[in-house]
Structure formats: C-alpha cells, structure tokens
Amino acid sequence: SLNTKINRDAIDELATRVQGDLELFTNEAQKLALYTNHITYEDVCLLVSKPLEENVFEIFNLLLKRKNAEAVALFRDLRVNNVEPVSLISMLGNQFRLLWQIVYLMKLGKTNIEMADILHIKEVRVGIMKRSAYIMSMDALENVLNTLYMLDYKIKSGQEDRFYAFELFLINFKIS
C-alpha cells in the first residue's frame, strides 16, 4: 500500500476519467501515486486522459463556436495518444445526427421530455443539445453528415490519408 493523500476533487475527476473501469482506475491511481505523495485535481488533469467521448463533444462544441484552430489543436493532442480519426468521425457524426434530430423534433413542437423519450437519451442531454439547435440549419447539418460520410468512405477505401483528411475537415468546417 502506498502512503498517498488524494484530494476529494482529484478522486471525483479520476472517477470521471476512468468511467467505471476498475482496472484502469487502479493503473491510473498507481501512476499518480508514483508521481506524487499528495494527488491534486491538477495532477489528475495532467496525467490521466479524458474519455474519448468527452474529447469528441469538445471538438463538436469548438466547431459550432467557429473555433476551428482549437479543434485542430485538440485533434493533434489526441493523435499523440493514437486516437483513430475514423472513430472520431463516427462519434462526431453521432453528435451532428443527434443535433439534426433535435432540430427536426423542435420543428414538430415536441417538448424536451418527448424528445428524450423518442431519442432514448436523458432529458438533460436534450437541453444541452437544444442550446446548439439554432446555430445550424437542417440543410447545413445534412451537408456536414454527408461530408463526414464521404470522409469515412474515402479513408476506409484508401483514397485519403486518415490524419490529413480529418484535419482538413476540421480546418474547413463552416457553419453555413
């Protein structure tokens, strides 16, 4: 047993980042204990990777805020950790598809509770996505989904380099 202190907020952040994976929790806790004998929130942020979904959601939000350069910088950080662009494309596609569905259901006059029920997601997630619902039109969202589909196809069929092509997508992303 290592004689290490850990702050409450550091435990919470570590638990968030390992997402219930006990083996990962143990490995990361040992790594942190080797680094310092008093683990802080900052130590966890420095040494433990965020879950991929969180990074994808961050890229999604940066694109919607027209912060393409920051989205590219985040992708480059993920690339260092051997994150595959194809999985990012798929997860980003899911975010844009969900946003399209929410915009569509809003046009039908559905409430947050109804939308959550139809889409099989938590009501709080509907609320979060609705904040972005006025940023892009349904046509613009369909264009993004088509672009991501073609990007995925070109990468998987060997027509484009996966890292270069995804970075180009991030650089050229526009809210039309």
Side-chain angles (χ1 to χ4, degrees), residues 23-59:
E23 188 180 345
L24 184 60
F25 180 86
T26 306
N27 292 342
E28 296 296 348
Q30 287 172 340
K31 180 170 74 178
L32 286 159
L34 291 170
Y35 176 73
T36 180
N37 62 3
H38 189 144
I39 303 165
T40 64
Y41 174 82
E42 289 74 21
D43 296 328
V44 174
C45 291
L46 181 69
L47 295 172
V48 182
S49 304
K50 279 184 186 173
L52 190 55
E53 292 79 25
E54 211 173 298
N55 284 307
V56 169
F57 195 66
E58 204 170 322
I59 288 173

Side-chain angles (χ1 to χ4, degrees), residues 71-83:
V72 170
L74 178 53
F75 169 59
R76 287 179 180 161
D77 288 346
L78 293 174
R79 190 176 167 177
V80 171
N81 294 326
N82 296 318
V83 171

Side-chain angles (χ1 to χ4, degrees), residues 94-107 115 119 138 141 145:
N94 290 340
Q95 292 294 328
F96 281 106
R97 192 174 308 102
L98 180 61
L99 184 55
W100 183 92
Q101 291 169 323
I102 285 176
V103 171
Y104 177 76
L105 292 171
M106 284 170 64
K107 285 183 194 269
M115 285 189 249
L119 299 170
M138 288 183 81
L141 288 165
L145 289 168

